[in-house]
Amino acid sequence: MQLLPLLIVVVVLAVRMIRPQRISVTRMWVSPIILCVLTAWVIYANDQLYPAPPIEIAVALFIGVVAALPFGVLRGMHTDVRPTDKPGVMHLGSSWVTIAIFAVAFGLRYAIRMAMPQRGELTGTIGDGLLAFAIVFIASSYFVIFRKYERLAGISKGPA
């Protein structure tokens, strides 16, 4: 029952991300922000159920972040991005990999918890690391996509 709201959000985002779309630069950041908020809520709720030392949570999150950065950058580099005739709007290629990464992270988190129910603290911190991986993967790929869009659209920051 705890996974039902998350499942609904993931399905809605999956439907949106599977096909190429025309998207504004601002709206591109909405789904990662929603996923970050959901992830923070899940990590907080997990810590309430299975309290873990903050250092263990921090280490798990750090490992998830470090592991995700290269994959997110690589995914962003290989995503089709084209500016449109309308400023601030781009064509963004399909992104089934993004939603698959997020779904696998939550699935592995659930599977680890089921495989080791007596180790709540450990399974919780491993799950937190997996969630950090998913979020940083998405955020880093969108950052690279955004920079690619700026370059293609000829948008410059500051004096030349």
Side-chain angles (χ1 to χ4, degrees):
M1 197 65 184
Q2 178 186 5
L3 293 176
L4 186 61
L6 184 62
L7 183 63
I8 291 169
V9 171
V10 168
V11 168
V12 168
L13 290 174
V15 169
R16 292 182 49 93
M17 292 178 166
I18 284 179
R19 55 188 164 75
Q21 54 186 308
R22 189 176 163 140
I23 188 169
S24 74
V25 172
T26 305
R27 202 178 90 202
M28 177 181 78
W29 292 105
V30 171
S31 60
I33 289 170
I34 290 171
L35 292 174
C36 282
V37 169
L38 281 171
T39 301
W41 175 71
V42 167
I43 290 171
Y44 172 77
N46 180 63
D47 193 50
Q48 297 303 308
L49 289 173
Y50 305 106
I55 191 71
E56 285 181 16
I57 296 171
V59 168
L61 295 176
F62 179 76
I63 291 169
V65 167
V66 169
L69 276 172
F71 292 106
V73 169
L74 189 63
R75 186 258 173 184
M77 290 171 52
H78 293 288
T79 298
D80 180 38
V81 178
R82 292 173 293 153
T84 64
D85 54 345
K86 195 173 180 185
V89 178
M90 71 177 102
H91 286 283
L92 187 60
S94 64
S95 178
W96 64 268
V97 171
T98 301
I99 200 65
I101 290 284
F102 203 77
V104 166
F106 270 96
L108 281 174
R109 183 177 185 273
Y110 182 75
I112 289 168
R113 183 167 288 161
M114 292 298 107
M116 300 186 310
Q118 72 284 7
R119 302 281 302 173
E121 179 183 309
L122 177 63
T123 60
T125 54
I126 291 171
D128 294 347
L130 288 167
L131 296 181
F133 179 91
I135 291 300
V136 171
F137 173 83
I138 293 168
S140 60
S141 65
Y142 276 22
F143 179 77
V144 172
I145 289 167
F146 174 70
R147 298 294 295 175
K148 186 188 286 189
Y149 166 75
E150 282 184 327
R151 191 176 61 252
L152 292 171
I155 299 170
S156 66
K157 298 284 183 188

